[in-house]
Structure formats: C-alpha cells, structure tokens
C-alpha cells in the first residue's frame, strides 16, 4: 500500500477500477450493487419511501420553470408519462393559467426509441435576438459530452442538412443564421489537458467542419477556449475568451477580424451590457487612482475602457457579512442578488442621466431569492423565485422600475412542515473563525443529544449554500423528526472571494476544520451525538466528507459520499480533473503534493481504524468526476475490512441519475441508509 507521503503509483492495485468499461470494473461494480440492493430493499420502509419520492418528482404540481425567446416561454419537463422528458412552449397568457396549454417540440422518450439512443436533455442555444433556429444538446446517459443538432422551432423538427456536432464537450454559439463559433474535438491536439475545447473556429453553413477557419487557440494546459456574440441591437459584439484556469481568464473583443484584449485583471469576470463593461473582482484592483476591494462590481464605458480612459462606477462594494451572489441583466437594468449573512436581498440598478442609480427591493425575508431575465434584450421584465427550507418556492413576474410582483406559480407543500423551525447558529473553527450554519428541526426537539441529524456541506469553487425548499429531504427526513443541517464553510462563496480563497490549495484543510467545527458545535449544543450524526456531500462535497471521515471518524456514525473526488494523487489525470488544479493544487509538484497528501482520503484510510459506515454513490457515465474515485476508495476500504455500501448507477452523469425513477431510487437508498444508521431504533 502507498503511504500518505509517497506519490501513488504505478503499483496501485486498484488502477484498473479507472477503466470505465473494463470487464473487471463492471463485474466489481455489479457485485457491489447487488449487495447494496439486497440490504436496503429488505428494509420495510424503503419501498414506500421510494414510491413517495418518485411521486414528488413526477408531480404535475411542480413549477414549470421557463425561459423566454422571441416572446414565447420554453420549458423542459419530466413526469410519470415522460420519463426522459419533453421540451415544450407556450405563451405568457397561457403560462399565467393554472393549467397552461403547451405545444410539444421534442419528446425525448419518442426520439430515444426512434433513434435507439439513451438521450438525456442537455439544453438549447438560441439564434438571438429572435431567430427560429436553435442548437439542441443531447447527452448519451447524462454525461457532459453531448451531441449538438440544429433544430427549427417553426417546423418543429431537426434540420436535415443543418449544423451537427458529434459527441464531445463542445462549446458552440451563433454568429448569424449561417455561421457558428465552434469549440469541439477537432482531432489530436485540439483539446486541453482538462478535456475541453482548446481551439475556436468559425464554421459556415454548407462547408465541412474540417474547413472551418481558426479564430483562436488556447494553450494545452489552459482550461478551455470559447467565443460568443452579444446580439443586443445596436451593440452587437463578438467576444473570445481564453479560460486559463478555473479562476483566471483573458477576454478579447473581436473586431474586424482582430482580437483586442480587454485589460481586466486575470482573475476578474467581465461582460458587456449595452455601452457598459461590467467587471466583478476576485482580488483588489488599483486603477484610475482608486483601489477597489475584492468582491466589488464595477462598470465603465466599453470604448473608453479599451482606450485607457475609463472612469469606473462602483455598482457593489462588499460590507462585512455581505457578498455578491448573482447578476441578472434586463434591457435597461441590472438586478444584483446580494447575500447578507447567508440570506438574499435584491438591489436594482438603472442607468439614469449617465449614472447608475440603485434601490433595494422590498421583498419578504425568505432566505433564498433568485432572478433571471424574461427577455434581456427586448424587455425589463424578469422572473423572481422565493424559497426557504420550509417554504415551498413561489415564482413571480416582475419589471425593473416597479415594485409590483405578479405571482405566476407556487409549488405545493410536498412534506409536513408544521412545527419546523430554522435556526442559524455559529461554530468556531480550529483557528477561531466563526462559521455559520443552518439547522432545521421541529420546535419540540429536545436538547438530549439523541436526535438523528444529517450535516451537509460543500466548501469549494465559490459555491454558496443557501436556504431552499428540498422536497425530497423534507419528505424523507424532516417530517419524521430528523434534524437537517447546512454548513456555510470556507471554500464557498457565502462571504465573497476571500471566504473562498481561504480554503484554496494549501488552505483546503480550513474547509475540513470548519465542517468538523460545525459537527462539534452540534454535539456541544446537545442537538445530537456522534452515534446520531451523519454527514453528506457530493462532488467536492464528497471530497469533504471523505477527508473528514479519515480525520475525525469518532464524530460520526454515517457518511454519504456522492460522485466524489477521493484520490488526490491522480485526480488531475482523470477526465476534467486537470481543470481543478486552481482549486486543489498540482500533485506532480512535490511541494503541492505534500499538502494534498495530508488529506487525500484514498491515501489516509487505514486498516485497524474504526470508521463510520459509508455509502458511496457514483455513475458509470460521470465524465466529470471519474467513478474510479469511489470505486478505488470502496475497494481499498473493503480490503482493509471496513463496512460500507456502494451503488453505481450505470447512467446519469455527474448528477448520478438520468430520470425520475433513477433519482427516486438513488435518494431512497440514501435516506434509507441514513435512517437505519442514525434512527432511534438502532442498537446502541
């Protein structure tokens, strides 16, 4: 076996488990599946729970969230009749009705049967501002690699001689009706080390893809290259982006066949809004005689900025406890979603008399608010959703410049929330940092340390965990008296770029310490105890719970580790792993491997230790985080004599499931496992 200080190796006995379609890997996976099914299917409550979760997922009462194009609302929908889903549209007047009349454009179940493919919906890219053509993305089994096909929304059919791209992690955008920007797998050398497009080409209709003219080439060790067009009438512009790493990029304006570099900081995001260039800072920036803090949002005239004479306006400056959570663009306004102590508020910005004017919207304190444009080019209308841990989501239509909210749709209550209360506590991490967390529990919960509790975390990639209505966990856990906890640990974006950057690379242990601190605080408050406490996380959150599993196993009695990273010696060699070196570090650099080795779960797990029971879940079709991580960790732990369960869905991609039936099965397995491990009927 490899030690935690020795690079893993060629002699690793489980490298064969990285072979996605290898016969031995498949046999091992299927063996684990049978054991997991046999154990959990035997639980009397499992079947009933699975049926209930499936009913929630299939419900016709869910909100049919929509996007607008050329005045019509488009929605992708799955239910009991449409397992793979349908893509459909309606008018706003119809959408306002309780039961709108929808026009189906693509029936994925029918298409899959006709073409003999396991299609999973991947979204559309419209010809803007009002074109009838779009590019439809379809995935085989739910992976990130997709087939792209041109679709005619008037004829409601795929264009027989239209644009088609074979399966790849492509990036495509319309230039005009007969021309595309295309980044895809053009052959050897055309992808980055991360597996994303390195080359952007201009492809004209009726010509072979091989003849497309190269627009830009990124370096092989960059993350990706892409290009797009801002189709706002009167402000049409083409942009090319070199994504150097996850948090660094170069932006170019394409004008007259030339690429003009936008002189922004490499770690800042930038986009155009009519005549304004908007820049979001990840680091402080000194420009024009002023110093702007990290997390600020700035705006300046595009042409003046490119000419070097820009005067910036600060659209958002972070205060203690606040951060910018999102920006929505309408025709004449920006809607800023701000996080204030991990609760949202909305600030509307409108440009009047040559300056940006701000006003706070008077909205209920619901926890989580989200906005997106109804039609950012032609309208000032936008959608707003309000939600909370115990409040089902409500969808409104609003218009910039007004305060009126038109309710459009409301989600029903899918679980009994009477008596549930949401608390926001703070824990102290090992370095003294105060870490907030939400705890949802019944008002009659006794502080006796005997309450089954699930602690969820993520802690990476600037992702903020906000209050939100989770129908499945509510039905499976909360309404039966379980306590559900969400930890806002460092590595996330809850308090801006600094909160994230504190846990980057060599600082990653801070995220783990924060999570451990929350667990200890729950125990100190006597909300729960180690034998009643379980932890759960997926993807980067799977790494989180995997690391904490090996560092503080005595704190927990159950671990759900979903689509995880676990082998930090080889993660950069597997699928998209190289793209995350800006987050974790480079294992091939001895200095960086030294800190990775200190927490890499695959290298820290030991025989003879007593670990809480683990349920690993992954997907054969996950082409983002390799299923080999979960396979290898499970194999090593089984060899060492540890008790665990393992479930690998054969499709579903990084989501772990490809349709409602698979999703219900996955979560029924998960919550049955947690109920058994943490429930009050277990043996002491």
């Amino acid at each position: 076996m490899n030690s935690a200080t020795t690079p893993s190796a060629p002699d690793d006995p489980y490298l064969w488990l990285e072979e996605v379609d290898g016969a031995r890997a498949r046999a091992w996976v299927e063996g684990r599946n049978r054991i997991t099914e046999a154990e959990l299917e035997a639980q009397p409550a499992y079947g009933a729970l699975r049926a209930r979760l499936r009913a929630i997922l299939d419900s016709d009462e869910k909100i049919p969230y929509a996007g607008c194009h050329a005045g019509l609302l488009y929605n992708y929908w799955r239910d009991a009749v449409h397992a793979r889903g349908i893509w459909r549209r309606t008018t706003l007047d119809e959408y306002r009705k309780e039961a709108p009349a929808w026009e189906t454009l693509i029936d994925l179940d029918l298409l899959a049967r006709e073409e003999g493919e396991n299609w999973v919906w991947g979204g559309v890219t419209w010809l803007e501002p009002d074109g009838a053509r779009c590019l439809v993305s379809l995935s085989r089994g739910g992976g990130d690699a997709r087939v792209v096909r041109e679709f005619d929304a008037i004829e409601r059919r795929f264009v027989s001689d239209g644009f088609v791209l074979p399966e790849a992690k492509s990036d495509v955008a319309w230039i005009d009706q007969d021309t595309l920007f295309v980044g895809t797998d053009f052959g050897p050398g055309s992808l980055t080390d991360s597996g994303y497009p390195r080359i952007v080409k201009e492809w004209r209709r009726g010509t072979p893809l091989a003849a497309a003219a190269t627009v830009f080439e990124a370096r092989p060790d960059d993350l990706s290259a892409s290009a797009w067009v801002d189709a706002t009438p009167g402000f049409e512009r083409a942009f090319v982006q070199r994504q150097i790493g996850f948090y660094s990029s170069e932006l170019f304006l394409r004008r007259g066949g030339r690429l003009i570099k936008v002189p922004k900081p490499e770690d800042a995001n930038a986009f155009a809004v009519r005549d304004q260039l908007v820049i979001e800072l990840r680091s402080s920036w000194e420009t024009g005689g002023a110093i702007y803090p990290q997390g600020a949002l700035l705006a300046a005239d595009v042409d003046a900025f490119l000419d070097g004479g820009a005067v910036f306006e600060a659209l958002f400056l972070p205060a203690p406890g606040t951060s910018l959570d999102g920006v929505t663009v309408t025709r004449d306004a920006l809607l800023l979603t701000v996080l204030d102590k991990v609760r949202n508020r909305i600030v509307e910005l409108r440009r009047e008399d040559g300056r940006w004017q701000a006003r706070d919207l008077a909205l209920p304190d619901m926890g989580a608010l989200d906005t997106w444009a109804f039609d950012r080019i032609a309208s000032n209308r936008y959608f707003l959703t309000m939600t909370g841990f115990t409040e089902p989501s409500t969808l409104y239509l609003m218009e910039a410049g007004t305060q009126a909210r038109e309710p459009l749709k409301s989600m029903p209550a899918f679980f009994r929330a009477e008596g549930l209360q949401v608390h926001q506590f703070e824990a102290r991490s090992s370095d003294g940092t105060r870490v907030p967390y939400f705890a949802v529990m019944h008002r009659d919960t006794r502080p006796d340390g005997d309450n089954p509790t699930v602690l969820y975390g993520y802690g990476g990639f600037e992702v903020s965990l906000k209050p939100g209505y989770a129908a499945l966990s509510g039905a499976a856990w909360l309404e039966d008296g379980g306590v559900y906890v969400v930890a806002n640990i460092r590595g996330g974006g809850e308090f801006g770029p600094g909160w994230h950057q504190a846990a980057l690379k060599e600082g990653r242990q801070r995220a783990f310490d924060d999570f451990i601190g929350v667990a200890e605080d729950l125990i100190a408050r006597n909300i729960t105890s180690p034998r009643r406490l379980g932890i759960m996380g997926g993807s980067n959150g799977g790494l989180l719970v995997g690391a904490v599993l090996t560092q503080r196993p005595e704190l927990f009695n159950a671990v759900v580790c979903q689509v995880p990273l676990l082998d930090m010696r080889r993660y950069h060699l597997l699928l998209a792993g190289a793209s995350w070196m800006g987050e974790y570090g480079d294992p091939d650099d001895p200095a960086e491997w030294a800190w990775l080795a200190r927490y890499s779960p695959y290298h820290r797990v030991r025989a003879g230790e007593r670990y809480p029971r683990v349920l690993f879940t992954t997907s054969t079709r996950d082409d983002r985080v390799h299923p080999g991580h979960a396979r290898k960790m499970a194999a090593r732990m089984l060899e060492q004599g540890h008790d665990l369960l393992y479930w690998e869905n054969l499709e579903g991609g990084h989501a772990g499931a490809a349709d409602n039936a698979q999703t219900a099965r996955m979560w029924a397995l998960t919550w049955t496992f947690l109920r058994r491990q943490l429930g009050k009927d277990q043996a002491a």
Side-chain angles (χ1 to χ4, degrees):
M1 293 295 170
N2 302 296
S3 73
T5 57
T6 303
S8 97
D11 62 346
D12 189 319
Y14 300 118
L15 288 184
W16 62 272
L17 286 167
E18 294 175 6
E19 300 171 9
V20 174
D21 296 315
R24 292 179 67 197
R26 180 61 59 84
W28 187 86
V29 168
E30 290 178 350
R32 294 298 97 201
N33 274 339
R34 282 196 294 273
I35 292 172
T36 299
E37 290 294 318
E39 182 152 5
L40 292 179
E41 290 274 10
Q43 302 301 309
Y46 169 76
L49 178 60
R50 182 172 169 182
R52 184 174 180 195
L53 299 187
R54 176 70 186 275
I56 292 172
L57 292 165
D58 285 343
S59 172
D60 290 335
E61 296 183 273
K62 302 189 306 288
I63 296 176
Y65 293 105
C68 180
H69 174 75
L72 294 175
L73 295 178
Y74 290 81
N75 164 259
Y76 169 67
W77 180 261
R78 291 194 309 207
D79 57 25
V81 177
H82 307 99
R84 298 180 187 276
I86 53 175
W87 185 47
R88 57 188 187 171
R89 67 185 174 195
T90 192
T91 65
L92 178 58
D93 286 341
E94 278 293 323
Y95 190 75
R96 288 183 167 111
K97 298 177 181 178
E98 183 176 347
W102 294 94
E103 178 186 24
T104 297
L105 301 177
I106 299 177
D107 183 328
L108 255 68
D109 297 88
L110 177 61
L111 184 68
R113 287 194 300 270
E114 290 177 345
E115 299 185 350
E117 294 279 8
N118 181 20
W119 291 130
V120 174
W121 185 248
V124 299
T125 302
W126 281 104
L127 174 61
E128 297 288 5
D130 54 8
R133 298 288 179 91
C134 62
L135 300 170
V136 172
S137 295
L138 300 170
S139 164
R140 292 184 174 94
D144 288 350
R146 293 164 181 173
V147 172
V148 178
R149 296 159 65 174
E150 186 177 2
F151 187 84
D152 187 318
I154 295 177
E155 299 292 331
R156 294 188 301 171
R157 62 175 178 81
F158 288 103
V159 180
S160 58
D161 58 347
F163 291 112
V164 175
L165 287 174
E167 186 176 56
K169 294 183 180 180
S170 301
D171 187 278
V172 294
W174 293 93
I175 299 174
D176 56 44
Q177 183 160 321
D178 295 313
T179 321
L180 300 179
F181 281 130
V182 177
T184 190
D185 187 350
F186 295 108
S190 66
L191 300 179
T192 65
D193 295 342
S194 301
Y196 295 106
R198 186 180 71 83
I199 300 170
V200 176
K201 296 190 176 189
E202 184 175 317
W203 185 21
R204 294 198 58 79
R205 186 182 300 280
T207 65
L209 181 60
T214 297
V215 173
F216 180 78
E217 290 192 31
R219 292 171 40 177
D221 59 351
D222 287 341
L223 196 157
S224 66
S226 59
W228 66 93
V229 170
D230 181 347
T232 304
F235 299 93
E236 295 88 349
R237 300 183 185 92
F239 291 95
V240 174
Q241 183 159 289
R242 174 195 174 204
Q243 194 68 38
I244 302 169
F246 221 88
Y247 308 107
S248 57
S249 63
E250 292 180 336
L251 183 65
F252 303 88
L253 175 65
R254 190 177 188 233
R255 181 181 289 170
R258 296 188 306 117
L259 295 181
I260 302 169
K261 186 175 179 179
V262 177
K264 68 173 187 67
E266 274 194 0
D267 66 347
N269 294 323
F271 58 93
V273 180
R274 301 172 78 82
D275 65 342
Q276 297 282 293
L277 186 74
V278 180
I279 299 178
E280 183 180 2
L281 299 181
R282 284 196 179 95
S283 301
S284 62
W285 187 32
E286 183 174 0
T287 183
I291 300 176
Y292 298 99
Q294 66 175 181
L297 190 72
L298 312 176
D301 181 89
V302 173
D303 293 330
F305 182 67
L306 294 176
D307 291 340
V311 176
F312 282 99
E313 289 184 72
L315 307 184
F316 173 79
L317 295 174
T322 69
S323 65
L324 185 61
D325 192 34
V327 180
T328 293
V329 180
T330 71
R331 187 187 62 206
D332 302 307
L334 298 178
L335 287 308
L336 308 186
T337 306
V338 177
L339 268 178
D340 192 340
K341 297 180 181 177
V342 204
R343 292 179 179 271
N344 282 135
R345 55 184 174 86
I346 305 292
V347 177
E348 179 186 288
L349 291 163
R350 291 170 60 83
R351 195 160 171 77
E352 298 173 1
D353 300 325
R355 295 193 63 80
W356 290 95
Q357 306 295 325
R359 72 181 181 101
D360 285 333
L361 297 190
L363 298 171
D365 181 8
M366 288 282 287
L369 306 171
D370 285 294
T371 64
W372 67 99
F374 182 85
D375 182 343
R376 75 172 190 85
I377 291 176
S379 169
N380 277 323
R381 289 185 292 191
Y382 61 94
F383 293 107
L384 168 74
T385 59
M386 299 182 182
T387 188
F389 283 113
T390 59
E391 297 86 14
S393 302
T394 302
L395 174 67
Y396 296 90
L397 184 63
M398 298 188 68
E399 184 157 358
T402 73
Q403 189 64 47
R405 296 197 309 273
E406 178 189 351
L408 292 175
K409 305 288 179 186
S410 293
M411 183 185 292
F414 283 116
F415 64 91
R416 297 187 304 276
E418 293 82 4
L420 290 177
Q421 295 181 337
V422 180
H423 304 268
Q424 191 174 24
F425 299 124
E426 281 189 336
R428 283 193 179 272
S429 192
S430 60
D431 63 359
T433 299
R434 301 179 74 87
V435 180
Y437 66 93
F438 293 101
V440 188
M441 66 186 84
H442 198 275
R443 61 171 171 253
D444 295 332
T445 299
R446 297 175 59 187
D448 58 6
D450 201 34
N451 301 294
T453 301
V454 172
L455 168 59
Y456 181 83
Y458 187 79
F461 296 94
E462 296 182 312
V463 174
S464 301
L465 299 186
K466 305 185 296 182
Y469 190 74
L472 300 188
S473 56
W477 189 252
L478 284 172
E479 76 172 25
D480 286 338
V483 178
Y484 187 70
V485 179
V486 174
N488 301 117
I489 62 179
R490 282 174 286 185
E494 288 88 346
F495 298 104
W499 193 251
H500 167 243
Q501 293 165 12
L504 276 181
K505 295 187 174 181
E506 67 269 30
R508 178 60 48 172
Q509 183 61 41
R510 294 190 182 106
F512 309 146
D513 291 342
D514 290 359
F515 198 66
I516 290 167
V518 172
E520 291 175 330
D521 196 69
L522 287 165
I523 294 167
R525 292 177 188 274
N526 229 22
I527 292 172
T528 191
S529 59
R531 73 181 183 129
R532 301 296 190 212
L533 179 57
I535 54 177
M536 178 164 59
S539 193
N540 173 77
L543 171 62
L544 167 69
V545 299
V548 171
L549 159 74
T550 62
Q551 293 180 20
R552 294 295 303 277
E554 78 283 0
L555 284 178
F556 317 104
N557 194 38
V559 178
V560 176
C561 189
Q562 302 159 315
V563 290
L565 287 86
L566 295 166
D567 178 358
M568 300 307 289
R569 183 65 185 89
R570 290 179 53 81
Y571 85 90
H572 64 314
L573 305 177
L574 303 176
L575 299 174
S579 66
W580 310 319
M581 287 196 289
E583 181 82 9
Y584 303 122
D586 182 357
D588 290 336
D589 181 323
E592 298 191 9
W593 168 243
W595 75 61
L596 287 161
R598 284 194 288 271
Y599 72 77
S600 178
Y602 184 62
H603 298 90
R604 284 188 57 92
V605 68
R606 295 285 183 269
E609 291 279 354
R610 183 175 180 180
Y611 295 113
R613 201 175 196 201
V614 188
L615 169 62
F616 293 103
T617 68
T618 186
S619 162
T620 306
R621 288 289 297 175
D622 190 345
D623 54 359
R624 191 181 311 173
V625 177
H626 201 294
H629 284 278
R631 293 171 181 168
K632 290 163 64 176
M633 186 73 168
R636 175 163 286 184
M637 291 187 72
L638 287 169
E639 180 189 71
Q640 294 174 351
H642 304 301
D643 186 20
L644 62 87
L645 296 173
Y646 180 94
W647 184 68
E648 179 168 333
N649 196 28
L650 298 181
E651 57 186 17
H654 196 50
D659 57 34
N660 288 350
Q662 293 176 16
T663 301
R665 181 188 186 204
M666 177 178 70
W667 284 110
L669 290 171
T670 299
W671 287 110
T672 300
F673 165 73
L674 289 166
R675 287 160 67 139
R676 174 179 175 178
Q677 286 297 115
L678 306 177
K680 294 185 178 182
D681 58 343
Q682 74 169 30

